[in-house]
Amino acid sequence: MDLTSVIIAVAGVAGTLGGSLLTQRGSERAKRREIELIRDHEEIRENRSLRRTCYAELNRDARQFTTALSRHLHVMRERGAEDTDSAALDEAKNAHRDRYSEAQMIAPEEVLMRANVVNQALNRVYGQVKRLERGAPEPGETMETAAQAQYEVWDMLRTMRTAMRHDLGVAHEVRETARS
């Protein structure tokens, strides 16, 4: 055997081993990328699920607070609010406050802007209702103005819900029959 044959044999063995090593490294790199993609996908899915839950609860509690304000105004007109009526209103307010606080940590800016509008409107109506309940309304505050302000919150809630649905990628389809 001459030196050339030995060199060729060594190069062949080194090439075979090196090729196997490079193939293994490439495979490991591809597997790591795949795992990272799966983790990223799972994180996106978990984040969306967290937002979906938060949005559903915020929407529910804001609607319940709005309804509680309406109910409280009716009670005040009919017979005057009692402690249990005020407690029910405060419970709805507190539930909304908790959901809104959670949304402040989770929701993107567009949704948070809409939720903030709803939160401020609900708190203004709540303040007006409480002042009326105490018999110390500010100038221009009446049962009618409070009821109108409470009614206007429903449009704000729809706008907030639309922003939430958009963030979650839920298509907002307008049905022609619903418009009629």
Side-chain angles (χ1 to χ4, degrees):
M1 249 201 261
D2 64 355
L3 186 58
T4 307
S5 297
V6 171
I7 292 173
I8 291 173
V10 168
V13 170
T16 302
L17 292 175
S20 297
L21 186 61
L22 288 175
T23 301
Q24 182 181 355
R25 280 186 143 180
S27 174
E28 287 173 359
R29 220 178 287 133
K31 191 156 194 99
R32 273 195 303 267
R33 271 187 262 142
E34 183 181 344
I35 289 170
E36 287 174 15
L37 285 173
I38 290 171
R39 282 185 191 147
D40 289 347
H41 183 67
E42 284 297 316
E43 186 176 318
I44 289 168
R45 189 177 350 184
E46 287 174 14
N47 189 338
R48 182 175 288 136
S49 176
L50 180 64
R51 287 191 331 267
R52 183 182 300 117
T53 300
C54 175
Y55 293 170
E57 291 174 353
L58 177 60
N59 185 56
R60 178 199 64 215
D61 290 343
R63 292 174 63 83
Q64 287 178 343
F65 186 15
T66 305
T67 301
L69 284 164
S70 177
R71 192 175 310 127
H72 199 77
L73 284 165
H74 286 294
V75 166
M76 287 172 58
R77 279 189 202 112
E78 292 173 8
R79 60 171 166 80
E82 298 173 0
D83 289 343
T84 56
D85 301 316
S86 292
L89 178 60
D90 288 341
E91 185 178 318
K93 179 186 185 299
N94 292 338
H96 170 71
R97 181 202 59 221
D98 293 346
R99 289 307 147 253
Y100 178 68
S101 296
E102 183 180 347
Q104 287 179 310
M105 297 293 113
I106 296 171
E109 197 60 35
E110 179 63 27
V111 172
L112 199 51
M113 284 180 359
R114 307 295 182 207
N116 184 44
V117 168
V118 169
N119 184 59
Q120 287 180 6
L122 286 169
N123 284 322
R124 275 192 304 274
V125 175
Y126 175 82
Q128 190 173 0
V129 166
K130 290 310 235 180
R131 286 187 294 277
L132 288 166
E133 186 179 56
R134 287 191 311 265
E138 291 183 355
E141 289 183 338
T142 65
M143 293 292 277
E144 290 72 29
T145 62
Q148 180 60 38
Q150 178 275 329
Y151 179 77
E152 291 170 359
V153 173
W154 289 109
D155 284 334
M156 296 172 209
L157 285 168
R158 279 187 280 283
T159 302
M160 179 182 75
R161 184 185 64 229
T162 299
M164 291 173 177
R165 290 173 56 88
H166 179 74
D167 179 51
L168 294 173
V170 178
H172 182 70
E173 298 176 16
V174 178
R175 292 177 27 189
E176 291 302 319
T177 57
R179 287 184 161 187
S180 304

